[in-house]
Amino acid sequence: PVSWRAGAESGWVRTSPEIALKRAICAGAGSVFEVATVARAGEHGAHHLPEFHLLEWYRVGGTLADLRRDVEAIVTG
């Protein structure tokens, strides 16, 4: 987690859903994904926000071509 302070509020936000997703796979969930609000501390720029939405997914099995189709489907909507 990243320490976070926004105005009068402070707390912790996670940097990635990776650990929870990998645990779900190990428990037999199969392929999994999550769209999560995450944060990165220290990176700043005109095209960067410290808090953003992240899509993270893990495919059980499949080929590189399957992964490519996943990415194309996500990007083209």
Side-chain angles (χ1 to χ4, degrees):
V2 172
S3 178
W4 188 257
R5 182 158 179 80
E9 299 179 26
S10 65
W12 295 91
V13 291
R14 63 186 179 163
T15 58
S16 169
E18 176 181 3
I19 297 299
L21 293 177
K22 287 182 176 178
R23 286 181 178 159
I25 290 171
C26 291
S31 298
V32 294
F33 77 95
E34 184 174 348
V35 177
T37 301
V38 298
R40 297 287 188 268
E43 294 91 354
H44 299 284
H47 301 288
H48 178 83
L49 295 174
E51 186 175 5
F52 56 96
H53 289 90
L54 172 76
L55 167 62
E56 189 151 351
W57 81 95
Y58 294 91
R59 171 189 272 280
V60 176
T63 65
L64 182 57
D66 294 328
L67 179 61
R68 183 178 298 123
R69 281 190 290 276
D70 287 350
V71 172
E72 288 173 354
I74 291 166
V75 172
T76 60

